[in-house]
Amino acid sequence: MTRRFMFVVLVFCFMQISANDEFKIKRENVFTFKVEPKVVDENGIAKISFETNGYCDATIVIEDDTGKIIRHLVSGVLGDNPPPQFQAKTKSQIVIWDYKDDAGVYPKNIEKLNVRVSLGLKPQFERTLF
């Protein structure tokens, strides 16, 4: 009886480990650009393009001249199931920006804004709201 119980426990543990690995996000720890980020204006819409060397975390934000983020465009892991705005199954990305901030308002000085494309960010708790 004890052997049978131990066998069942081992099989159950193995199934849990396999299931946990299956649901993990598949990312590569290669955080370099193959093609550096580039911004091109086409008819009032900004196209931000870049290519990475691996399927890694990528984040695109728009900052004002003081470094304050005014628009969070997209953030997530490239690969099979990326967040909207990123294309699936490719390391080469083109993201569209309509020149609006997070509130949907056009900033006053677009010339002073910076596009920041970051790879391999690690989330960190900043503060509790309310």
Side-chain angles (χ1 to χ4, degrees):
M1 181 71 179
T2 318
R3 284 185 177 172
R4 191 175 289 167
F5 177 73
M6 290 297 286
F7 178 75
V8 170
V9 168
L10 286 174
V11 168
F12 180 74
C13 289
F14 179 72
M15 288 173 46
Q16 288 297 328
I17 291 169
S18 297
N20 288 340
D21 289 342
E22 181 64 30
F23 294 113
K24 284 186 179 178
I25 294 176
K26 313 286 190 287
R27 76 173 188 148
E28 298 174 2
N29 288 322
V30 179
F31 308 116
T32 56
F33 290 106
K34 186 173 186 178
V35 176
E36 293 292 320
K38 180 176 151 185
V39 181
V40 177
D41 179 68
E42 289 186 10
N43 300 323
I45 293 179
K47 289 189 176 184
I48 304 160
S49 61
F50 65 94
E51 185 173 354
T52 62
N53 285 315
Y55 291 113
C56 60
D57 304 69
T59 299
I60 303 175
V61 297
I62 310 300
E63 300 174 326
D64 64 10
D65 55 348
T66 66
K68 179 184 173 192
I69 297 173
I70 65 160
R71 178 73 186 260
H72 299 82
L73 281 177
V74 62
S75 185
V77 179
L78 305 176
D80 291 338
N81 191 19
Q85 286 258 32
F86 284 146
Q87 292 79 42
K89 300 178 184 176
T90 181
K91 298 173 190 170
S92 179
Q93 300 291 322
I94 298 175
V95 176
I96 305 297
W97 177 42
D98 59 3
Y99 290 109
K100 294 180 183 176
D101 62 11
D102 280 339
V105 178
Y106 289 102
K108 294 179 182 175
N109 295 325
I110 291 180
E111 299 83 26
K112 293 186 178 183
L113 300 179
N114 296 312
V115 176
R116 181 170 44 112
V117 180
S118 304
L119 302 178
L121 296 179
K122 184 177 179 182
Q124 179 178 339
F125 178 77
E126 182 180 0
R127 64 180 170 211
T128 302
L129 299 176
F130 305 112

